[in-house]
Amino acid sequence: MTRSELIAVLLQKHPHLQVREATRLVNTVFGGIARSLANGQRVELRGFGAFSVKERDPRLGRNPKTGEQVQVSRKYVPFFKTGKELHQRLNTPRKKE
């Protein structure tokens, strides 16, 4: 699902909202999550999952074109862990259509 598809679903479920308002709501939520992660904070959405930041240590990598070894510096990457309810929902057998 893309951001625009999420906005469309929001508008279908809440017809009183204008496109501008729904867009602002979605951007506010995603912006808040991104800001928190950028500040090193964990974001937990009960029943859905938790976003956090993991640190990757520096390492030796390889240039895929030349095969030459290159130093890859330390970096931070986003990490998502599903919540219990979402995990159960994903692993519940579905009816075939």
Side-chain angles (χ1 to χ4, degrees):
M1 176 179 277
T2 64
R3 184 183 299 238
S4 58
E5 290 170 339
L6 181 60
I7 292 168
V9 169
L10 189 59
L11 289 169
Q12 284 176 352
K13 293 192 179 220
H14 301 280
H16 64 281
L17 289 176
Q18 295 179 2
V19 175
R20 182 175 65 246
E21 295 169 329
T23 302
R24 192 172 340 138
L25 283 169
V26 170
N27 290 339
T28 299
V29 171
F30 288 156
I33 291 171
R35 263 190 312 284
S36 293
L37 292 174
N39 290 330
Q41 297 172 320
R42 182 174 185 266
V43 178
E44 183 177 335
L45 303 171
R46 294 279 172 160
F48 182 73
F51 296 91
S52 60
V53 177
K54 288 199 173 195
E55 182 179 341
R56 295 249 172 103
D57 292 330
R59 63 183 175 83
L60 273 179
R62 289 202 180 274
N63 179 330
K65 280 188 175 179
T66 64
E68 176 187 348
Q69 285 191 342
V70 292
Q71 183 64 37
V72 178
S73 60
R74 176 182 66 170
K75 61 179 145 182
Y76 298 93
V77 293
F79 179 76
F80 177 75
K81 180 173 177 170
T82 59
K84 183 179 177 182
E85 289 175 35
L86 178 60
H87 185 76
Q88 288 173 343
R89 193 171 182 182
L90 292 173
N91 290 291
T92 301
R94 295 184 195 103
K95 295 178 187 174
K96 296 214 175 191
E97 294 179 18

